[in-house]
Amino acid sequence: MTRSGAREELVGKIEALLADPAFFKDVLDLCTDAPYRDVLIAWSAVREKHELMRDEFGRYWIPH
Amino acid sequence: MSDIATEDFRAMLARMEAQGHVTRMKKPVKPQHFSALCTKAPGVLLAEKVEGYDFSMAGGIFWTRARTAASLGWPEGELGRRFASAVAKPIPPVEVEDAACQEHVFTGDDVDLSNIPIPFMHEKDGGPYLSSGIVFANEPNVGVNVGCYRLMFRTRREMGIDLFTASDLRRIYTKFYEQGKPLQIAVAFGVHAFEHMGAAYKAPAGVNEIEIAGGLRGAPTRLVRAKTVDLMVPADAEMILEGELLPNGWTADEGPFGEFAGMQGDLKHNPIFRLTAITHRRNPILFALQMPWENDWLNGPATEAACMRILSLAGIPVVAVRATEGGCCGWSMVVSIRKRAGEGKNAIAAILSLPVVKQVIITDDDINIYDSNEVEWAVTFRCQADKDIVILSGMKAKHVDPSVRPWDMKPGELPLTSKFGIDATIPEGIPAFRYERIVPAYSDSLRLEDYL
Ligand SMILES: Cc1cc2nc3c(=O)[nH]c(=O)nc-3n(C[C@H](O)[C@H](O)[C@H](O)COP(=O)(O)O)c2cc1C
């Protein structure tokens, strides 16, 4: 898979995770095989694409 | 001028390494693993390689009193006294043309925060954080303001900044926000302890913290013009982020982040910092400042200095002042004085009037206040709880202290706290000989080594 394809896949994985509330650490734990830099890039893309919600514990989720 | 007066961040690290304060990590480390390793390291941790990045990373420089003193090149017991005399002798910065912090310059589409190994630090943090930035902003008709502010990674161009608490930067930002205008800022990383401590100092508005840094250094701080904002920045810093605080007000989610009081903080809503440039040195070192002790020790000397100043105003002969680590280097103080009748209580009243201090122990000058056992001995045998513990209530508090139950407060209400002081000086009327300490016979003339 190309680098940008792998990053797209990461975005999808993070979006799926955020169907339910999750901490940022859950995002990192989901992406342990990916380079850290790719996780930052994917997180940036998720932030730009969605208005992320937060709960009082600081967890993120994407409203349905 | 001493060699330390002309040091930059990496020269400070090199000197601390020569003094045995640094642990080098040879194997590449992931940015999200660095904080945990820092807490396990016996000294300042220097990661030579960070997986996937061209940066190295340092942390734990101000983790203890000893390391903080080493970074400044001052004796451990002198932090408060030296800080006070530096504040009294500020030195203006000098402007230079060429700067190491601009060896690499990224602007326009090349600005990308994902190129920096911004570490994820604590389990419940809202994202990766840059914790060691000192923020420069210009207040029209007043002058330059410098302060320490954390930054949370949001996107490749944007970070969250914590402007929740009252501060000069918050006040300046509020003026711009009310006019719907962005505020230009520049953030320096990897500055020397002198500049970092100057930035952490709550200087009165209009006092340039970089001049305080000059006072601490004993020489001017070298500044260079930033590339995309109208500000001067430390020429010898490892990295500079330039950009503007957007006039979005307190709307963008920021945090939680491990706070200076040692507790995981709350989710907040704060302004957004949008970048216009990243500049850095060749082979930059990212200083990943570790919470809470590095934040706390940057404030400790200033609080010790404030105690000395207020005791001297009250005419009390102060011998030594210690901000304790358990009290996050400011909330709990131990002070020894050369007491005259009543001054144990006067000292308590003076010190508890400082906004941050919540508890204080006053001892006589025969007690070594750096030895917790000696302090406890004085409290045990020189204090009568019904006469020597002073409790003051209804005093100004901070939201970060859960014992003031900030969540029960109405919007806009400010928290109040009670404070206490323990007068562990010899009570009036008890002659000193009642406290005569055991001295082993012939102690002065015998050496253990002669018998080994
Ligand atoms: C390492 C460190 C991080 C800090 N982070 C913040 C922060 O994110 N927000 C804040 O309001 N104060 C923070 N502070 C406290 C301010 O830097 C400090 O109050 C400073 O005096 C503010 O400067 P100013 O009032 O001149 O802007 C931090 C202090 C340190 C030492």
Side-chain angles (χ1 to χ4, degrees):
Chain A
M1 198 188 299
T2 62
R3 191 87 193 252
S4 70
R7 284 179 185 159
E8 268 310 304
E9 196 181 325
L10 269 186
V11 171
K13 271 169 90 172
I14 296 173
E15 285 174 330
L17 175 78
L18 298 188
D20 293 312
F23 287 109
F24 187 83
K25 181 169 180 291
D26 299 325
V27 174
L28 286 179
D29 290 345
L30 180 79
C31 309
T32 42
D33 294 337
Y36 190 75
R37 179 155 187 264
D38 285 0
V39 183
L40 296 190
I41 292 169
W43 182 251
S44 173
V46 170
R47 272 248 188 225
E48 276 165 356
K49 205 164 140 192
H50 305 277
E51 179 127 4
L52 296 184
M53 308 300 286
R54 308 291 304 266
D55 68 11
E56 60 172 318
F57 307 108
R59 292 181 300 186
Y60 292 89
W61 85 92
I62 299 173
H64 303 297
Chain B
M1 196 187 294
S2 75
D3 289 349
I4 295 181
T6 56
E7 270 180 0
D8 59 11
F9 177 79
R10 42 182 79 183
M12 172 184 80
L13 271 186
R15 178 176 47 80
M16 291 179 78
E17 183 165 21
Q19 293 166 349
H21 289 287
V22 175
T23 307
R24 261 179 195 268
M25 209 156 46
K26 300 271 178 206
K27 292 187 185 154
V29 64
K30 292 183 194 299
Q32 67 270 42
H33 292 167
F34 186 73
S35 284
L37 295 168
C38 261
T39 62
K40 295 172 199 264
V44 178
L45 191 61
L46 180 60
E48 291 181 357
K49 296 193 194 80
V50 181
E51 231 177 75
Y53 291 91
D54 293 331
F55 281 72
S56 48
M57 205 184 266
I61 297 170
F62 310 121
W63 191 250
T64 60
R65 175 184 286 275
R67 287 188 223 166
T68 306
S71 71
L72 297 157
W74 297 351
E76 278 185 51
E78 287 279 309
L79 297 187
R81 215 176 289 280
R82 296 251 187 149
F83 192 90
S85 64
V87 168
K89 288 187 230 111
I91 298 178
V94 288
E95 193 171 333
V96 297
E97 294 291 325
D98 282 328
C101 72
Q102 293 171 342
E103 281 168 346
H104 291 276
V105 176
F106 303 90
T107 55
D109 287 345
D110 294 331
V111 173
D112 187 347
L113 285 163
S114 75
N115 291 330
I116 303 167
I118 305 174
F120 178 73
M121 299 176 75
H122 319 109
E123 287 201 341
K124 299 280 174 65
D125 285 359
Y129 266 89
L130 289 175
S131 52
S132 66
I134 68 169
V135 178
F136 290 70
N138 205 4
E139 180 168 19
N141 307 320
V142 178
V144 176
N145 181 70
V146 190
C148 304
Y149 292 88
R150 70 193 197 200
L151 298 169
M152 183 180 87
F153 177 80
R154 287 176 64 83
T155 68
R156 293 165 89 161
R157 293 282 184 92
E158 287 182 354
M159 305 199 83
I161 183 167
D162 175 23
L163 290 189
F164 182 77
T165 313
S167 69
D168 288 343
L169 183 62
R170 181 184 159 117
R171 186 175 39 77
I172 301 166
Y173 172 75
T174 304
K175 282 191 198 164
F176 279 74
Y177 162 70
E178 284 169 355
Q179 296 168 37
K181 288 192 199 151
L183 169 67
Q184 288 192 338
I185 64 167
V187 193
F189 299 85
V191 295
H192 195 284
F194 298 128
E195 279 71 37
H196 220 137
M197 204 162 272
Y201 177 56
K202 286 186 201 332
V207 173
N208 182 348
E209 288 87 352
I210 282 300
E211 298 193 7
I212 303 292
L216 295 168
R217 196 178 255 290
T221 301
R222 288 154 37 85
L223 298 181
V224 69
R225 189 153 294 284
K227 293 288 179 188
T228 59
V229 292
D230 187 16
L231 287 164
M232 302 297 291
V233 294
D236 302 316
E238 292 291 324
M239 178 175 82
I240 309 283
L241 303 184
E242 302 177 10
E244 49 192 32
L245 298 184
L246 303 184
N248 65 301
W250 287 263
T251 58
D253 61 288
E254 187 275 331
F257 184 60
E259 297 271 6
F260 66 96
M263 286 162 274
Q264 186 68 50
D266 295 329
L267 171 69
K268 295 173 178 172
H269 286 86
N270 268 311
I272 290 177
F273 170 37
R274 181 169 294 158
L275 276 74
T276 51
I278 298 175
T279 77
H280 63 68
R281 281 181 169 232
R282 239 171 271 129
N283 305 318
I285 308 171
L286 180 65
F287 175 26
L289 177 144
Q290 301 300 312
M291 302 296 287
W293 308 122
E294 291 206 80
N295 184 325
D296 296 338
W297 274 118
L298 280 169
N299 294 323
T303 310
E304 290 181 358
C307 288
M308 287 179 168
R309 210 162 41 240
I310 206 153
L311 289 173
S312 114
L313 275 176
I316 300 168
V318 54
V319 176
V321 175
R322 173 180 158 224
T324 68
E325 225 152 59
C328 292
C329 312
W331 298 57
S332 175
M333 307 299 296
V334 186
V335 176
S336 60
I337 60 171
R338 216 162 285 127
K339 180 183 90 158
R340 293 161 300 199
E343 284 182 337
K345 308 287 185 304
N346 283 26
I348 290 174
I351 286 173
L352 292 184
S353 74
L354 294 171
V356 69
V357 182
K358 201 179 164 192
Q359 57 197 55
V360 61
I361 298 173
I362 310 291
T363 74
D364 293 295
D365 61 342
D366 62 325
I367 299 296
N368 172 10
I369 61 167
Y370 297 97
D371 180 339
S372 299
N373 285 338
E374 276 211 42
V375 173
E376 192 178 352
W377 180 86
V379 170
T380 307
F381 294 111
R382 293 181 176 177
C383 166
Q384 282 293 303
D386 61 340
K387 297 189 188 68
D388 296 319
I389 295 183
V390 177
I391 298 176
L392 301 174
S393 2
M395 301 186 84
K396 189 174 162 191
K398 288 192 180 255
H399 289 86
V400 74
D401 176 357
S403 72
V404 303
R405 299 169 190 270
W407 53 87
D408 282 345
M409 287 168 8
K410 296 186 200 81
E413 191 181 337
L414 293 172
L416 298 176
T417 190
S418 63
K419 300 185 172 190
F420 73 95
I422 299 176
D423 181 1
T425 59
I426 297 177
E428 273 79 49
I430 300 188
F433 79 84
R434 297 277 174 204
Y435 288 99
E436 188 175 353
R437 310 286 278 271
I438 297 172
V439 180
Y442 308 107
S443 165
D444 282 349
S445 56
L446 293 175
R447 286 163 25 103
L448 179 61
E449 301 85 82
D450 295 340
Y451 291 81
L452 296 178

